[in-house]
Amino acid sequence: MLNIKRQILIALLNQKKGLRSSDLAKQLDVTPRTIRNNITELNRSLQGKVIGYRRPFFYISNPELVRRHIFIKDNQLHYPNYPSDRPFLIYLQLYNQPKVKIQDISSKLHIGRNEIENSIKDLKRLCCQYHLKIETNSSGISLVGQQIWQNYVLALLSTKRISRLVKNQYLYLIFQEKFSKDKFISKITTINKKVKNEYNLQLEDKDLYILALMTMLENGTSKQYQKFYQELIFYVNSKTLKLCESDKVIYQSLVKVFPQYKDTIYNGLGNISHHLKLVQFQPSYFSLNIKKTKIANITLSYTEQDKEFISFLRHIPTKFLRKRIVVYESNIFELTKYGDKLAFLTILFPELEIKLSNNLFDLDKLLHVKNEQIIFLAKKERISLFDEKYHIQFFKLEPKISQKLIYYLLEQE
């Protein structure tokens, strides 16, 4: 049977409002008098009144002192006992055993049943994100899912206690006597060099730690693990693969529209990388929510990590928007003549687009374009109620219109 004093402290830590002596007695299967005697001894041994009494409840008056006092020694392994440690400690019990009962977890970790049940609810939500299930029935609790995902979640939960010295108490709990700090640091160094050489990327300490821990758990030699690690590097850590030819076309189009922001478009916005290439990379483990948007009449595919970059492009000032000339003339011969006269403008201004129309019903479609500056040419000004929502500048069609447009476009540069 566990030390009754320790059980009293843990039970009171798990109930902020406190507990009656009768409740503690029932929970620990002793008499109320035994509870009161042990509380008196605890206050004396801890050199202060750490357990207070506010009728009818006993409560912990100094939680930090009690937490420092409590540690569980099991085959020379010291289990931390802070609330933030509980998800990892409970998950580790599920990870190491095919099936385990709540009472066994409580006995080993000295955590109350209610706290274990609450932590398991949180773990279930976390596991759902990574294709794992925590199943509960009368015979116990079990962790169900691919081993590769079980290893990943274990590594993820263990990052709580990373330090630059790799002095992580969790690592000793995972590997026990097999853990070697020097070997682990060597593994991190090797992975760091490999990622730099193969992908020209510098991972954060946390990411290197996760990869190193996973390779130690499963040796990481199979093709399955190599594929997982590659996706982990590119997806979870929001890195960008090299551009393929089709993406270069998209980038070049963006640079033509926003020449002042060439460096930002090619290099990304701050620490946010844009993923026009990533969306073409077919994942097996990590999935992306790919969205599409039109900016300056260019269709872009983007992911959640790109939102800041996309927002940046959308809010570039109007004078840097792509320009379109729309010419309306009901006479098709006159329209063709004006089209020939204006064609040379696209040589002077490569980003310029010219649209010709002799159909009034097509005008709205041609004029009402977001993120473009429209230059509307017609013999008579034709105003729509919706025009004010768009960037439309009207010019009257006349013999010297080409010269006027050159001056206007040069002013806009």
Side-chain angles (χ1 to χ4, degrees):
M1 187 177 175
L2 292 174
N3 185 302
I4 192 169
K5 292 182 177 65
R6 192 180 304 283
Q7 286 183 292
I8 290 170
L9 290 173
I10 291 167
L12 292 175
L13 272 175
N14 290 331
Q15 293 291 335
K16 290 182 180 179
K17 293 181 180 179
L19 289 168
R20 295 180 177 87
S21 58
S22 57
D23 295 331
L24 283 165
K26 188 176 179 181
Q27 188 174 324
L28 304 181
D29 197 24
V30 293
T31 64
R33 182 168 182 169
T34 302
I35 295 292
R36 288 192 292 272
N37 289 339
N38 276 278
I39 287 174
T40 302
E41 289 175 21
L42 275 167
N43 279 331
R44 190 184 302 122
S45 65
L46 291 175
Q47 298 177 346
K49 195 173 182 181
V50 294
I51 299 178
Y53 181 70
R54 190 184 296 115
R55 193 172 181 179
F57 299 113
F58 287 99
Y59 65 94
I60 299 292
S61 59
N62 192 337
E64 283 304 310
L65 177 62
V66 171
R67 287 194 184 100
R68 285 198 298 271
H69 174 73
I70 296 174
F71 65 91
I72 292 80
K73 200 168 183 180
D74 179 18
N75 297 326
Q76 303 306 311
L77 294 176
H78 297 271
Y79 289 82
N81 194 49
Y82 289 88
S84 59
D85 294 314
R86 288 170 189 163
F88 169 79
L89 295 175
I90 293 168
Y91 183 86
L92 184 62
Q93 301 305 308
L94 300 176
Y95 177 87
N96 285 332
Q97 301 175 65
K99 194 156 280 193
V100 62
K101 292 186 176 181
I102 287 181
Q103 186 56 45
D104 295 334
I105 297 174
S106 179
S107 298
K108 188 164 189 176
L109 302 179
H110 290 212
I111 300 173
R113 186 182 183 91
N114 288 342
E115 292 300 314
I116 293 171
E117 288 174 348
N118 289 335
S119 293
I120 286 174
K121 286 178 186 176
D122 294 335
L123 285 172
K124 281 182 177 179
R125 285 192 285 270
L126 175 68
C127 288
C128 276
Q129 298 174 39
Y130 301 108
H131 316 287
L132 298 176
K133 286 183 180 179
I134 295 177
E135 295 183 347
T136 308
N137 54 42
S138 56
S139 60
I141 309 167
S142 56
L143 181 63
V144 180
Q146 281 187 329
Q147 188 63 47
I148 198 166
W149 284 114
Q150 291 189 29
N151 292 351
Y152 177 68
V153 173
L154 182 68
L156 197 64
L157 287 169
S158 72
T159 58
K160 201 85 176 175
R161 282 182 174 264
I162 293 177
S163 74
R164 287 190 174 273
L165 301 173
V166 196
K167 193 177 180 181
N168 190 336
Q169 198 172 0
Y170 289 169
L171 293 174
Y172 292 94
L173 295 176
I174 294 169
F175 297 106
Q176 300 184 32
E177 71 278 357
K178 297 177 184 176
F179 178 71
S180 163
K181 181 179 172 181
D182 293 337
K183 185 179 177 182
F184 191 75
I185 291 174
S186 173
K187 183 72 73 175
I188 287 175
T189 306
T190 303
I191 291 170
N192 190 34
K193 285 181 181 177
K194 186 177 180 181
V195 171
K196 274 185 178 179
N197 293 336
E198 290 187 17
Y199 305 113
N200 194 28
L201 296 173
Q202 176 61 60
L203 297 186
E204 295 178 8
D205 291 347
K206 176 183 174 183
D207 306 323
L208 288 168
Y209 168 89
I210 288 174
L211 286 171
L213 179 50
M214 288 189 71
T215 53
M216 287 184 71
L217 286 168
E218 197 60 39
N219 295 322
T221 53
S222 69
K223 286 184 178 179
Q224 178 195 24
Y225 271 76
Q226 294 305 319
K227 173 72 172 167
F228 185 92
Y229 298 152
Q230 186 187 40
E231 290 186 23
L232 183 63
I233 290 167
F234 289 123
Y235 282 82
V236 176
N237 302 300
S238 310
K239 306 302 181 198
T240 304
L241 290 168
K242 291 179 180 178
L243 294 174
C244 66
E245 289 304 313
S246 62
D247 290 318
K248 285 182 180 177
V249 174
I250 296 174
Y251 276 64
Q252 288 162 4
S253 300
L254 283 172
V255 169
K256 281 182 180 178
V257 178
F258 309 117
Q260 290 80 357
Y261 297 94
K262 178 179 177 179
D263 291 340
T264 304
I265 288 168
Y266 276 112
N267 301 325
L269 185 64
N271 293 323
I272 306 296
S273 299
H274 42 314
H275 309 149
L276 299 179
K277 176 68 180 79
L278 273 180
V279 296
Q280 298 179 9
F281 187 73
Q282 297 300 317
S284 300
Y285 298 97
F286 296 93
S287 60
L288 282 177
N289 181 16
I290 298 169
K291 300 177 182 178
K292 290 186 180 291
T293 188
K294 264 197 172 185
I295 294 178
N297 213 31
I298 301 169
T299 301
L300 300 176
S301 299
Y302 70 99
T303 67
E304 273 303 304
Q305 293 97 327
D306 301 316
K307 284 173 76 175
E308 190 176 344
F309 175 72
I310 296 296
S311 176
F312 165 79
L313 291 180
R314 283 182 179 145
H315 290 89
I316 287 177
T318 304
K319 66 178 181 178
F320 301 128
L321 296 178
R322 188 171 178 175
K323 296 177 180 66
R324 169 188 284 192
I325 292 177
V326 177
V327 184
Y328 171 74
E329 170 55 60
S330 57
N331 186 315
I332 189 67
F333 298 107
E334 289 287 316
L335 181 66
T336 306
K337 193 188 296 181
Y338 279 116
D340 292 340
K341 278 185 179 181
L342 299 173
F344 80 97
L345 290 173
T346 57
I347 299 171
L348 297 174
F349 306 96
E351 76 282 4
L352 192 63
E353 182 184 27
I354 298 177
K355 297 284 186 181
L356 307 176
S357 176
N358 68 334
N359 188 341
L360 274 175
F361 296 103
D362 285 343
L363 281 182
D364 280 357
K365 186 178 178 181
L366 294 171
L367 295 173
H368 297 168
V369 182
K370 289 182 178 179
N371 301 311
E372 287 198 23
Q373 184 172 359
I374 308 297
I375 300 167
F376 180 32
L377 309 180
K379 288 185 176 177
K380 291 181 181 179
E381 188 170 2
R382 299 173 184 277
I383 299 171
S384 161
L385 292 173
F386 302 102
D387 285 357
E388 61 184 28
K389 294 182 180 179
Y390 302 89
H391 308 287
I392 301 174
Q393 178 66 44
F394 176 77
F395 284 88
K396 189 175 181 180
L397 269 177
E398 53 186 32
K400 294 184 178 180
I401 187 61
S402 300
Q403 192 175 351
K404 282 188 176 182
L405 287 176
I406 290 173
Y407 288 134
Y408 175 75
L409 291 167
L410 286 172
E411 286 176 3
Q412 298 298 306
E413 287 293 301

Short mmCIF file of all heavy atoms in Angstrom, two decimals, residues 249-300:
data_model
loop_
_atom_site.label_atom_id
_atom_site.label_comp_id
_atom_site.label_asym_id
_atom_site.label_seq_id
_atom_site.Cartn_x
_atom_site.Cartn_y
_atom_site.Cartn_z
N VAL A 249 6.74 30.43 -63.24
CA VAL A 249 5.85 31.25 -64.07
C VAL A 249 4.92 32.07 -63.19
O VAL A 249 4.73 33.27 -63.40
CB VAL A 249 5.02 30.37 -65.04
CG1 VAL A 249 4.01 31.22 -65.80
CG2 VAL A 249 5.95 29.66 -66.01
N ILE A 250 4.35 31.44 -62.15
CA ILE A 250 3.45 32.15 -61.23
C ILE A 250 4.21 33.25 -60.50
O ILE A 250 3.74 34.38 -60.38
CB ILE A 250 2.83 31.16 -60.22
CG1 ILE A 250 1.95 30.15 -60.95
CG2 ILE A 250 1.99 31.92 -59.18
CD1 ILE A 250 1.42 29.05 -60.07
N TYR A 251 5.41 32.94 -60.04
CA TYR A 251 6.20 33.94 -59.32
C TYR A 251 6.55 35.11 -60.22
O TYR A 251 6.48 36.26 -59.82
CB TYR A 251 7.49 33.30 -58.79
CG TYR A 251 7.34 32.57 -57.48
CD1 TYR A 251 6.53 31.44 -57.37
CD2 TYR A 251 7.99 33.00 -56.34
CE1 TYR A 251 6.39 30.77 -56.18
CE2 TYR A 251 7.86 32.33 -55.13
CZ TYR A 251 7.06 31.22 -55.06
OH TYR A 251 6.92 30.56 -53.88
N GLN A 252 6.94 34.81 -61.46
CA GLN A 252 7.29 35.88 -62.40
C GLN A 252 6.10 36.78 -62.69
O GLN A 252 6.23 37.99 -62.82
CB GLN A 252 7.85 35.27 -63.69
CG GLN A 252 9.24 34.68 -63.51
CD GLN A 252 9.63 33.72 -64.62
OE1 GLN A 252 8.89 33.54 -65.58
NE2 GLN A 252 10.79 33.11 -64.47
N SER A 253 4.90 36.17 -62.76
CA SER A 253 3.68 36.96 -62.99
C SER A 253 3.44 37.90 -61.82
O SER A 253 3.09 39.07 -62.00
CB SER A 253 2.47 36.03 -63.17
OG SER A 253 2.66 35.19 -64.27
N LEU A 254 3.64 37.39 -60.60
CA LEU A 254 3.45 38.23 -59.41
C LEU A 254 4.45 39.38 -59.39
O LEU A 254 4.11 40.50 -59.05
CB LEU A 254 3.61 37.39 -58.14
CG LEU A 254 2.44 36.50 -57.74
CD1 LEU A 254 2.84 35.60 -56.57
CD2 LEU A 254 1.22 37.31 -57.37
N VAL A 255 5.69 39.08 -59.77
CA VAL A 255 6.73 40.12 -59.76
C VAL A 255 6.42 41.20 -60.79
O VAL A 255 6.66 42.38 -60.55
CB VAL A 255 8.12 39.49 -60.02
CG1 VAL A 255 9.16 40.57 -60.27
CG2 VAL A 255 8.53 38.64 -58.83
N LYS A 256 5.85 40.82 -61.93
CA LYS A 256 5.48 41.82 -62.94
C LYS A 256 4.40 42.76 -62.41
O LYS A 256 4.40 43.96 -62.67
CB LYS A 256 4.96 41.12 -64.20
CG LYS A 256 6.06 40.57 -65.09
CD LYS A 256 5.47 39.93 -66.33
CE LYS A 256 6.56 39.37 -67.23
NZ LYS A 256 6.01 38.71 -68.42
N VAL A 257 3.47 42.19 -61.65
CA VAL A 257 2.38 43.00 -61.11
C VAL A 257 2.87 43.85 -59.95
O VAL A 257 2.48 45.01 -59.79
CB VAL A 257 1.22 42.08 -60.63
CG1 VAL A 257 0.10 42.91 -60.02
CG2 VAL A 257 0.69 41.28 -61.79
N PHE A 258 3.74 43.27 -59.10
CA PHE A 258 4.23 43.98 -57.91
C PHE A 258 5.76 44.07 -57.95
O PHE A 258 6.45 43.47 -57.10
CB PHE A 258 3.80 43.26 -56.64
CG PHE A 258 2.33 42.93 -56.58
CD1 PHE A 258 1.89 41.62 -56.53
CD2 PHE A 258 1.38 43.94 -56.57
CE1 PHE A 258 0.54 41.31 -56.46
CE2 PHE A 258 0.03 43.64 -56.51
CZ PHE A 258 -0.39 42.33 -56.46
N PRO A 259 6.35 44.79 -58.90
CA PRO A 259 7.81 44.81 -59.02
C PRO A 259 8.52 45.35 -57.79
O PRO A 259 9.64 44.94 -57.47
CB PRO A 259 8.06 45.71 -60.24
CG PRO A 259 6.80 46.51 -60.39
CD PRO A 259 5.70 45.63 -59.90
N GLN A 260 7.88 46.27 -57.07
CA GLN A 260 8.51 46.86 -55.88
C GLN A 260 8.69 45.82 -54.77
O GLN A 260 9.44 46.03 -53.82
CB GLN A 260 7.67 48.03 -55.33
CG GLN A 260 7.69 49.26 -56.22
CD GLN A 260 6.75 49.15 -57.41
OE1 GLN A 260 6.11 48.13 -57.62
NE2 GLN A 260 6.67 50.20 -58.20
N TYR A 261 7.98 44.70 -54.87
CA TYR A 261 8.00 43.69 -53.81
C TYR A 261 8.62 42.37 -54.28
O TYR A 261 8.29 41.31 -53.78
CB TYR A 261 6.58 43.46 -53.28
CG TYR A 261 6.00 44.71 -52.67
CD1 TYR A 261 5.21 45.57 -53.43
CD2 TYR A 261 6.28 45.06 -51.36
CE1 TYR A 261 4.69 46.73 -52.87
CE2 TYR A 261 5.77 46.22 -50.80
CZ TYR A 261 4.98 47.05 -51.57
OH TYR A 261 4.48 48.20 -51.03
N LYS A 262 9.53 42.48 -55.24
CA LYS A 262 10.17 41.28 -55.81
C LYS A 262 10.81 40.40 -54.74
O LYS A 262 10.59 39.19 -54.68
CB LYS A 262 11.20 41.71 -56.85
CG LYS A 262 11.95 40.54 -57.48
CD LYS A 262 12.94 41.04 -58.50
CE LYS A 262 13.74 39.87 -59.08
NZ LYS A 262 14.71 40.33 -60.10
N ASP A 263 11.62 41.01 -53.87
CA ASP A 263 12.33 40.23 -52.84
C ASP A 263 11.36 39.53 -51.90
O ASP A 263 11.56 38.38 -51.52
CB ASP A 263 13.26 41.14 -52.03
CG ASP A 263 14.44 41.62 -52.87
OD1 ASP A 263 14.71 40.98 -53.90
OD2 ASP A 263 15.04 42.64 -52.50
N THR A 264 10.31 40.24 -51.52
CA THR A 264 9.32 39.66 -50.61
C THR A 264 8.62 38.47 -51.26
O THR A 264 8.40 37.44 -50.63
CB THR A 264 8.27 40.72 -50.20
OG1 THR A 264 8.94 41.83 -49.64
CG2 THR A 264 7.29 40.15 -49.19
N ILE A 265 8.29 38.60 -52.54
CA ILE A 265 7.57 37.53 -53.24
C ILE A 265 8.44 36.29 -53.38
O ILE A 265 7.98 35.17 -53.19
CB ILE A 265 7.09 38.03 -54.62
CG1 ILE A 265 5.94 39.03 -54.43
CG2 ILE A 265 6.62 36.88 -55.50
CD1 ILE A 265 5.58 39.82 -55.67
N TYR A 266 9.73 36.47 -53.67
CA TYR A 266 10.61 35.32 -53.84
C TYR A 266 11.06 34.71 -52.51
O TYR A 266 11.24 33.51 -52.40
CB TYR A 266 11.84 35.70 -54.65
CG TYR A 266 11.60 35.65 -56.15
CD1 TYR A 266 11.58 36.80 -56.91
CD2 TYR A 266 11.36 34.44 -56.78
CE1 TYR A 266 11.35 36.76 -58.27
CE2 TYR A 266 11.12 34.37 -58.14
CZ TYR A 266 11.12 35.53 -58.89
OH TYR A 266 10.87 35.48 -60.23
N ASN A 267 11.23 35.53 -51.50
CA ASN A 267 11.80 35.04 -50.24
C ASN A 267 10.78 34.80 -49.14
O ASN A 267 11.10 34.26 -48.09
CB ASN A 267 12.86 36.03 -49.72
CG ASN A 267 13.97 36.23 -50.72
OD1 ASN A 267 14.34 35.29 -51.42
ND2 ASN A 267 14.48 37.44 -50.83
N GLY A 268 9.53 35.22 -49.33
CA GLY A 268 8.51 35.03 -48.30
C GLY A 268 8.40 36.25 -47.43
O GLY A 268 9.21 37.17 -47.49
N LEU A 269 7.40 36.28 -46.60
CA LEU A 269 7.13 37.45 -45.76
C LEU A 269 7.65 37.18 -44.35
O LEU A 269 7.08 36.41 -43.59
CB LEU A 269 5.62 37.70 -45.72
CG LEU A 269 5.15 38.94 -44.99
CD1 LEU A 269 5.66 40.20 -45.66
CD2 LEU A 269 3.64 38.98 -44.95
N GLY A 270 8.78 37.80 -43.98
CA GLY A 270 9.33 37.56 -42.65
C GLY A 270 9.71 36.10 -42.49
O GLY A 270 10.46 35.54 -43.28
N ASN A 271 9.17 35.45 -41.47
CA ASN A 271 9.43 34.02 -41.25
C ASN A 271 8.37 33.14 -41.90
O ASN A 271 8.39 31.93 -41.75
CB ASN A 271 9.45 33.73 -39.74
CG ASN A 271 10.64 34.39 -39.08
OD1 ASN A 271 11.70 34.45 -39.67
ND2 ASN A 271 10.45 34.90 -37.88
N ILE A 272 7.42 33.74 -42.61
CA ILE A 272 6.36 32.96 -43.25
C ILE A 272 6.77 32.63 -44.68
O ILE A 272 7.08 33.50 -45.46
CB ILE A 272 5.02 33.74 -43.29
CG1 ILE A 272 4.64 34.20 -41.90
CG2 ILE A 272 3.92 32.91 -43.91
CD1 ILE A 272 4.36 33.10 -40.92
N SER A 273 6.80 31.35 -45.02
CA SER A 273 7.14 30.94 -46.38
C SER A 273 5.86 30.69 -47.17
O SER A 273 4.90 30.15 -46.64
CB SER A 273 7.97 29.65 -46.35
OG SER A 273 9.16 29.87 -45.66
N HIS A 274 5.84 31.10 -48.42
CA HIS A 274 4.66 30.81 -49.24
C HIS A 274 4.88 29.47 -49.93
O HIS A 274 5.98 29.14 -50.32
CB HIS A 274 4.37 31.94 -50.21
CG HIS A 274 5.57 32.52 -50.90
ND1 HIS A 274 6.72 32.86 -50.24
CD2 HIS A 274 5.79 32.82 -52.19
CE1 HIS A 274 7.60 33.36 -51.09
NE2 HIS A 274 7.06 33.33 -52.28
N HIS A 275 3.81 28.71 -50.12
CA HIS A 275 3.94 27.29 -50.45
C HIS A 275 3.34 26.93 -51.80
O HIS A 275 2.61 25.96 -51.91
CB HIS A 275 3.24 26.45 -49.38
CG HIS A 275 3.67 26.79 -48.00
ND1 HIS A 275 2.85 26.68 -46.91
CD2 HIS A 275 4.84 27.24 -47.52
CE1 HIS A 275 3.49 27.06 -45.84
NE2 HIS A 275 4.69 27.41 -46.18
N LEU A 276 3.63 27.72 -52.82
CA LEU A 276 3.06 27.38 -54.12
C LEU A 276 3.56 26.03 -54.63
O LEU A 276 2.89 25.36 -55.39
CB LEU A 276 3.40 28.48 -55.13
CG LEU A 276 2.88 29.87 -54.79
CD1 LEU A 276 3.30 30.89 -55.83
CD2 LEU A 276 1.36 29.85 -54.69
N LYS A 277 4.76 25.63 -54.19
CA LYS A 277 5.28 24.33 -54.57
C LYS A 277 4.74 23.24 -53.66
O LYS A 277 4.43 22.13 -54.10
CB LYS A 277 6.81 24.33 -54.51
CG LYS A 277 7.45 22.95 -54.80
CD LYS A 277 7.23 22.56 -56.25
CE LYS A 277 7.85 21.21 -56.55
NZ LYS A 277 7.05 20.10 -56.10
N LEU A 278 4.61 23.55 -52.39
CA LEU A 278 4.16 22.54 -51.42
C LEU A 278 2.81 21.94 -51.79
O LEU A 278 2.56 20.78 -51.54
CB LEU A 278 4.06 23.16 -50.02
CG LEU A 278 5.34 23.17 -49.19
CD1 LEU A 278 5.07 23.81 -47.85
CD2 LEU A 278 5.85 21.76 -48.98
N VAL A 279 1.93 22.75 -52.35
CA VAL A 279 0.58 22.26 -52.63
C VAL A 279 0.59 21.18 -53.70
O VAL A 279 -0.40 20.47 -53.89
CB VAL A 279 -0.38 23.40 -53.03
CG1 VAL A 279 -0.56 24.38 -51.90
CG2 VAL A 279 0.11 24.12 -54.29
N GLN A 280 1.71 21.05 -54.42
CA GLN A 280 1.81 20.00 -55.44
C GLN A 280 2.45 18.72 -54.88
O GLN A 280 2.52 17.71 -55.54
CB GLN A 280 2.64 20.50 -56.63
CG GLN A 280 2.01 21.69 -57.33
CD GLN A 280 2.87 22.17 -58.48
OE1 GLN A 280 3.84 21.53 -58.85
NE2 GLN A 280 2.51 23.30 -59.04
N PHE A 281 2.94 18.79 -53.65
CA PHE A 281 3.64 17.67 -53.04
C PHE A 281 2.61 16.78 -52.35
O PHE A 281 1.99 17.18 -51.38
CB PHE A 281 4.65 18.23 -52.03
CG PHE A 281 5.56 17.20 -51.43
CD1 PHE A 281 6.57 16.64 -52.18
CD2 PHE A 281 5.42 16.81 -50.11
CE1 PHE A 281 7.43 15.71 -51.63
CE2 PHE A 281 6.26 15.88 -49.55
CZ PHE A 281 7.28 15.33 -50.32
N GLN A 282 2.41 15.56 -52.84
CA GLN A 282 1.35 14.69 -52.33
C GLN A 282 1.75 14.04 -51.01
O GLN A 282 2.69 13.24 -50.97
CB GLN A 282 1.01 13.60 -53.36
CG GLN A 282 0.45 14.15 -54.66
CD GLN A 282 -0.84 14.93 -54.44
OE1 GLN A 282 -1.71 14.52 -53.68
NE2 GLN A 282 -0.96 16.08 -55.09
N PRO A 283 1.06 14.35 -49.91
CA PRO A 283 1.44 13.79 -48.61
C PRO A 283 0.80 12.43 -48.34
O PRO A 283 -0.26 12.12 -48.87
CB PRO A 283 0.90 14.83 -47.63
CG PRO A 283 -0.31 15.38 -48.33
CD PRO A 283 -0.01 15.33 -49.80
N SER A 284 1.46 11.63 -47.52
CA SER A 284 0.89 10.35 -47.07
C SER A 284 0.42 10.45 -45.62
O SER A 284 -0.51 9.77 -45.21
CB SER A 284 1.92 9.23 -47.18
OG SER A 284 2.33 9.07 -48.51
N TYR A 285 1.07 11.31 -44.82
CA TYR A 285 0.79 11.39 -43.39
C TYR A 285 0.15 12.72 -42.99
O TYR A 285 -0.84 12.76 -42.28
CB TYR A 285 2.07 11.16 -42.58
CG TYR A 285 2.68 9.80 -42.80
CD1 TYR A 285 3.71 9.61 -43.70
CD2 TYR A 285 2.17 8.69 -42.12
CE1 TYR A 285 4.26 8.35 -43.90
CE2 TYR A 285 2.70 7.44 -42.31
CZ TYR A 285 3.75 7.27 -43.21
OH TYR A 285 4.26 6.02 -43.41
N PHE A 286 0.75 13.82 -43.43
CA PHE A 286 0.25 15.14 -43.04
C PHE A 286 -0.53 15.74 -44.20
O PHE A 286 -0.04 15.79 -45.32
CB PHE A 286 1.42 16.07 -42.68
CG PHE A 286 2.19 15.61 -41.50
CD1 PHE A 286 3.31 14.81 -41.64
CD2 PHE A 286 1.79 15.96 -40.21
CE1 PHE A 286 4.03 14.37 -40.54
CE2 PHE A 286 2.50 15.53 -39.10
CZ PHE A 286 3.61 14.73 -39.27
N SER A 287 -1.75 16.16 -43.95
CA SER A 287 -2.58 16.72 -45.01
C SER A 287 -2.67 18.24 -44.86
O SER A 287 -2.60 18.78 -43.77
CB SER A 287 -3.99 16.12 -44.95
OG SER A 287 -4.59 16.39 -43.71
N LEU A 288 -2.80 18.90 -46.00
CA LEU A 288 -2.92 20.35 -46.03
C LEU A 288 -4.30 20.76 -46.49
O LEU A 288 -4.87 20.15 -47.39
CB LEU A 288 -1.89 20.95 -46.99
CG LEU A 288 -0.45 21.05 -46.52
CD1 LEU A 288 0.41 21.58 -47.64
CD2 LEU A 288 -0.34 21.95 -45.32
N ASN A 289 -4.82 21.80 -45.88
CA ASN A 289 -6.08 22.38 -46.34
C ASN A 289 -5.74 23.43 -47.40
O ASN A 289 -5.36 24.55 -47.11
CB ASN A 289 -6.81 23.03 -45.15
CG ASN A 289 -8.14 23.63 -45.58
OD1 ASN A 289 -8.65 23.32 -46.65
ND2 ASN A 289 -8.69 24.50 -44.76
N ILE A 290 -5.82 23.02 -48.67
CA ILE A 290 -5.39 23.88 -49.77
C ILE A 290 -6.56 24.75 -50.25
O ILE A 290 -7.64 24.25 -50.55
CB ILE A 290 -4.84 23.05 -50.94
CG1 ILE A 290 -3.62 22.25 -50.48
CG2 ILE A 290 -4.47 23.94 -52.12
CD1 ILE A 290 -3.15 21.21 -51.45
N LYS A 291 -6.32 26.05 -50.30
CA LYS A 291 -7.33 26.99 -50.77
C LYS A 291 -6.83 27.69 -52.03
O LYS A 291 -5.64 27.68 -52.32
CB LYS A 291 -7.63 28.03 -49.68
CG LYS A 291 -8.16 27.42 -48.40
CD LYS A 291 -8.36 28.48 -47.34
CE LYS A 291 -8.85 27.86 -46.04
NZ LYS A 291 -9.01 28.88 -44.98
N LYS A 292 -7.76 28.31 -52.77
CA LYS A 292 -7.39 29.05 -53.97
C LYS A 292 -7.92 30.47 -53.87
O LYS A 292 -8.96 30.72 -53.28
CB LYS A 292 -7.95 28.37 -55.23
CG LYS A 292 -7.26 27.05 -55.57
CD LYS A 292 -7.75 26.49 -56.89
CE LYS A 292 -7.07 25.18 -57.22
NZ LYS A 292 -5.65 25.35 -57.53
N THR A 293 -7.17 31.40 -54.44
CA THR A 293 -7.61 32.79 -54.46
C THR A 293 -7.08 33.45 -55.73
O THR A 293 -6.11 32.97 -56.32
CB THR A 293 -7.12 33.56 -53.22
OG1 THR A 293 -7.72 34.85 -53.20
CG2 THR A 293 -5.61 33.72 -53.22
N LYS A 294 -7.72 34.55 -56.13
CA LYS A 294 -7.25 35.31 -57.29
C LYS A 294 -6.73 36.65 -56.81
O LYS A 294 -7.43 37.39 -56.13
CB LYS A 294 -8.38 35.51 -58.30
CG LYS A 294 -8.41 34.49 -59.42
CD LYS A 294 -9.27 34.96 -60.58
CE LYS A 294 -9.11 34.00 -61.75
NZ LYS A 294 -9.83 34.47 -62.94
N ILE A 295 -5.50 36.95 -57.18
CA ILE A 295 -4.91 38.26 -56.87
C ILE A 295 -4.33 38.81 -58.16
O ILE A 295 -3.52 38.14 -58.82
CB ILE A 295 -3.82 38.14 -55.78
CG1 ILE A 295 -4.46 37.71 -54.46
CG2 ILE A 295 -3.07 39.44 -55.61
CD1 ILE A 295 -3.51 37.50 -53.33
N ALA A 296 -4.77 40.00 -58.54
CA ALA A 296 -4.32 40.62 -59.79
C ALA A 296 -4.53 39.68 -60.96
O ALA A 296 -3.70 39.54 -61.85
CB ALA A 296 -2.87 41.04 -59.69
N ASN A 297 -5.66 38.96 -60.92
CA ASN A 297 -6.06 38.03 -61.98
C ASN A 297 -5.13 36.82 -62.09
O ASN A 297 -5.12 36.13 -63.11
CB ASN A 297 -6.13 38.75 -63.33
CG ASN A 297 -7.23 38.15 -64.21
OD1 ASN A 297 -8.23 37.67 -63.70
ND2 ASN A 297 -7.03 38.18 -65.50
N ILE A 298 -4.34 36.55 -61.04
CA ILE A 298 -3.47 35.36 -61.00
C ILE A 298 -4.04 34.41 -59.95
O ILE A 298 -4.28 34.80 -58.82
CB ILE A 298 -2.03 35.74 -60.62
CG1 ILE A 298 -1.47 36.73 -61.64
CG2 ILE A 298 -1.14 34.51 -60.54
CD1 ILE A 298 -0.17 37.36 -61.21
N THR A 299 -4.27 33.16 -60.33
CA THR A 299 -4.81 32.18 -59.40
C THR A 299 -3.68 31.59 -58.57
O THR A 299 -2.71 31.05 -59.12
CB THR A 299 -5.55 31.06 -60.15
OG1 THR A 299 -6.61 31.64 -60.91
CG2 THR A 299 -6.14 30.05 -59.17
N LEU A 300 -3.80 31.69 -57.26
CA LEU A 300 -2.80 31.16 -56.35
C LEU A 300 -3.41 30.06 -55.49
O LEU A 300 -4.51 30.20 -54.98
CB LEU A 300 -2.26 32.26 -55.43
CG LEU A 300 -1.59 33.46 -56.09
CD1 LEU A 300 -1.22 34.47 -55.02
CD2 LEU A 300 -0.36 33.03 -56.86
#
